[in-house]
Amino acid sequence: MIKHFLSLEWKQFKRASYFQKGLAIKILLFLAVLYFGGIAIFMGGVMFFALEKTFPDIDPIVMVNNFLIYWILFELMIRYFMQQLPVMNIKPLMIIPITRNSVIHYLLGKTILSFFNFISLLIFLPFSIVLLFQGYPVVNVVLWFFAIMCINMSINFLNFLINKSNTVFYGIASLVIIIVVLRYFNIFDITEPVGVLFNGLYNQPYLAIIPFLIMIGLYKVNFDFIRKGFYLDGAISKKTKEVHATDLSWMNRFGNLAPFLKNDIKMITRNARPKQVVMMSFFFLFYGLFFFTQSVYIEKMPYILAFAAMFITGGFLLSFGQLVPSWDSEYYKMLMSQNIPYRQYLESKWYLMVVAVAVSFILSTPYIYFGWDIYLMIAAGALFNIGLNTFITLFGGALNRVPIELNTKAKAFSNTNGFNPTQLLIALPKMLLPILIFFIPYHFISFNAGLIALALTGALGIVFKNFFLNKIENIYQKGKYKTVAAFSEKK
């Protein structure tokens, strides 16, 4: 039966009209898996010696167990935002003689093959092998590793519940926030008591049965959860939902652009995929903390700060903007059949990105803490985003003809729905240009000269806004019917 399910999914993928695009994406994802998998193996191989050198008075296995709780919390977070849950078209299977249990077991089995399950394996397997070569007890190490893998799979099944149940999600999120807040204010550090539990798994190997039973229990809970709604009438019945209208009359001040802007706001607030992307763009605001807290970037490589400054205010532009016009793919044919100028459509997208950059800049005000030079760098990056990156993004949209399903439940980061490899090429100038524009004046003149050059580039883009929009409009007009045809294809 498993072989039959695999055959059906392969035929669906191979026979689809988007096979070549999907294949290119799979190849890119495979290369990414090889890269991050190699990093995980390296980390696992050197972790013992690094801990031994850094903390010579503490056994490396004890140190790992003490901080294992933070790895678990990190896994929960990264899985929730990035792990793609398995999807299978079950409606045709409901009316043929295949047991529900077989389909559900297959769906849950697919979650085991997720790359996120192999990250822990690739880290802790080399670490365990090093422990064995260092003379640690074989039974203790093997059963400790077994327990860690059971915990890893438990996180996998827990993530399935978190994604399917808001109650579970809010419960886990509240627990994580409480742990972080208590640790931050030095009220309670969960490291030591939880470390005792994980060290117990190593010192008393028979306790490995506990994580194993937890894993089996979570699998059973997931199985029952899916089976409860596994009915044909439940899958096709219409749900009645009360609709709350949003008053957007204040946007009428934008004149002819108001209908487009209102449509975008409604699309974002009413659909799953754009809402996820907008939420994720908020986290770009914290990107500067990776750079502005490191003296090596400030003292020796300040030109890298231009890249960070652009990211801080460009989250919406880089995540939401790069998928213009794919956001409108489900009704693009109707939109293009109306008697409306293409220029107004593009200009509304430009204003939407400009407002998002401005809001991000206001929210970045706390970066003044790192000094006025840093804050002025962020301001220059915001001007660059408004005056140049917005136009580069719109230009890239003319080459993006991959449709998007607005209400898909896929993750904002890992979902390749709407992804086009061309976007990677278009993203390069958006990321490299601010570094280059800042570096040349900075290297030959001064830091302030680099700031002025970066800000001036953005200001010139705003001055020549009409010129850029006219050129981009001509490109969209030439590819209009190709875009309509591409968006009409259904996966």
Side-chain angles (χ1 to χ4, degrees):
M1 188 58 65
I2 299 298
K3 181 180 178 182
H4 184 63
F5 286 147
L6 292 173
S7 175
L8 289 175
E9 294 206 32
W10 170 247
K11 288 176 181 177
Q12 181 187 19
F13 173 68
K14 186 176 65 173
R15 294 173 179 176
S17 60
Y18 57 92
F19 172 70
Q20 291 182 338
K21 296 176 183 176
L23 186 62
I25 294 171
K26 298 296 184 194
I27 292 173
L28 289 174
L29 292 177
F30 177 72
L31 294 176
V33 166
L34 290 179
Y35 174 74
F36 289 107
I39 292 177
I41 293 173
F42 176 77
M43 287 176 57
V46 303
M47 185 161 55
F48 178 90
F49 304 103
L51 291 174
E52 189 177 44
K53 183 178 180 180
T54 307
F55 306 98
D57 298 329
I58 304 178
D59 192 332
I61 185 66
V62 174
M63 182 62 69
V64 169
N65 284 327
N66 285 344
F67 287 90
L68 203 55
I69 180 63
Y70 293 109
W71 171 256
I72 292 174
L73 294 178
F74 172 76
E75 267 211 73
L76 276 173
M77 180 186 69
I78 204 73
R79 283 174 182 270
Y80 179 77
F81 288 120
M82 297 190 67
Q83 184 176 1
Q84 180 71 52
L85 296 181
V87 177
M88 188 174 184
N89 187 9
I90 61 174
K91 290 182 183 178
L93 302 177
M94 289 179 169
I95 56 177
I96 58 178
I98 297 178
T99 62
R100 287 179 295 173
N101 290 0
S102 298
V103 179
I104 297 172
H105 282 307
Y106 176 72
L107 280 172
L108 291 175
K110 284 178 67 177
T111 68
I112 298 175
L113 299 178
S114 170
F115 172 69
F116 294 92
N117 294 328
F118 289 95
I119 294 178
S120 291
L121 175 67
L122 297 176
I123 291 177
F124 290 106
L125 180 59
F127 179 72
S128 300
I129 293 173
V130 172
L131 289 177
L132 294 175
F133 276 101
Q134 294 296 319
Y136 285 73
V138 175
V139 175
N140 297 61
V141 173
V142 171
L143 289 180
W144 175 82
F145 173 74
F146 172 75
I148 297 301
M149 291 300 100
C150 289
I151 292 172
N152 181 50
M153 292 309 306
S154 298
I155 295 172
N156 174 70
F157 296 127
L158 183 60
N159 179 58
F160 196 97
L161 288 175
I162 292 173
N163 280 270
K164 297 298 181 181
S165 171
N166 289 334
T167 303
V168 178
F169 167 72
Y170 290 123
I172 297 295
S174 300
L175 179 62
V176 171
I177 292 173
I178 291 172
I179 291 174
V180 173
V181 169
L182 292 176
R183 175 68 180 85
Y184 181 80
F185 290 103
N186 294 321
I187 298 174
F188 177 73
D189 187 359
I190 198 174
T191 301
E192 187 172 341
V194 174
V196 171
L197 296 177
F198 287 118
N199 281 308
L201 290 177
Y202 173 77
N203 294 321
Q204 284 82 37
Y206 60 87
L207 293 178
I209 190 67
I210 297 176
F212 176 74
L213 293 176
I214 292 175
M215 178 187 69
I216 298 299
L218 285 172
Y219 183 93
K220 182 68 166 58
V221 171
N222 275 281
F223 182 88
D224 293 339
F225 183 86
I226 298 175
R227 200 175 193 279
K228 188 184 298 182
F230 200 94
Y231 295 96
L232 184 58
D233 54 351
I236 63 176
S237 61
K238 299 292 183 181
K239 294 183 180 180
T240 304
K241 183 186 291 186
E242 184 180 354
V243 177
H244 298 278
T246 304
D247 183 17
L248 298 175
S249 58
W250 58 272
M251 300 189 75
N252 292 332
R253 69 188 65 182
F254 291 98
N256 294 331
L257 303 180
F260 300 102
L261 293 172
K262 290 180 181 179
N263 185 59
D264 286 332
I265 297 299
K266 292 176 182 177
M267 178 191 67
I268 292 172
T269 55
R270 295 177 180 177
N271 296 283
R273 177 79 191 279
K275 191 182 298 183
Q276 288 176 351
V277 171
V278 172
M279 289 174 61
M280 292 306 100
S281 66
F282 173 77
F283 290 96
F284 280 75
L285 286 169
F286 302 97
Y287 193 81
L289 296 177
F290 292 103
F291 293 90
F292 301 149
T293 55
Q294 304 294 325
S295 58
V296 62
Y297 295 113
I298 298 174
E299 297 173 1
K300 297 181 180 180
M301 296 185 292
Y303 52 88
I304 297 296
L305 301 183
F307 173 79
M310 182 274 299
F311 252 64
I312 290 171
T313 57
F316 183 85
L317 182 146
L318 293 169
S319 55
F320 184 91
Q322 71 169 349
L323 295 177
V324 172
S326 292
W327 293 117
D328 304 310
S329 59
E330 293 189 3
Y331 48 88
Y332 197 77
K333 185 184 294 185
M334 181 275 294
L335 198 63
M336 292 298 103
S337 64
Q338 304 300 307
N339 185 24
I340 53 176
Y342 221 135
R343 168 63 181 270
Q344 291 180 5
Y345 172 80
L346 294 174
E347 194 167 1
S348 69
K349 303 296 183 184
W350 185 81
Y351 273 110
L352 191 66
M353 289 187 282
V354 168
V355 170
V357 171
V359 171
S360 298
F361 176 65
I362 294 172
L363 294 177
S364 69
T365 303
Y367 278 108
I368 293 177
Y369 171 81
F370 295 101
W372 282 102
D373 286 345
I374 296 297
Y375 192 64
L376 289 175
M377 175 73 79
I378 296 174
L383 270 175
F384 178 85
N385 280 328
I386 293 174
L388 201 59
N389 270 350
T390 51
F391 299 115
I392 296 175
T393 301
L394 288 176
F395 169 75
L399 308 176
N400 182 23
R401 299 190 178 101
V402 183
I404 286 179
E405 297 176 15
L406 294 177
N407 269 316
T408 178
K409 295 297 183 181
K411 301 303 177 187
F413 284 140
S414 64
N415 185 16
T416 57
N417 178 236
F419 176 82
N420 186 342
T422 308
Q423 294 170 5
L424 296 177
L425 299 177
I426 298 297
L428 289 178
K430 288 190 284 188
M431 298 178 183
L432 298 180
L433 266 179
I435 298 177
L436 182 63
I437 292 172
F438 174 82
F439 175 76
I440 295 175
Y442 160 76
H443 183 72
F444 291 102
I445 306 176
S446 66
F447 180 87
N448 290 335
L451 284 181
I452 293 172
L454 192 61
L456 187 61
T457 304
L460 287 174
I462 297 174
V463 171
F464 290 99
K465 166 195 159 189
N466 291 330
F467 171 80
F468 287 130
L469 283 178
N470 288 336
K471 293 294 183 182
I472 294 171
E473 180 188 5
N474 291 335
I475 298 173
Y476 273 84
Q477 289 284 10
K478 290 179 181 178
K480 175 179 177 178
Y481 296 104
K482 290 182 180 179
T483 304
V484 170
F487 285 166
S488 298
E489 292 186 13
K490 294 297 181 182
K491 293 187 178 184

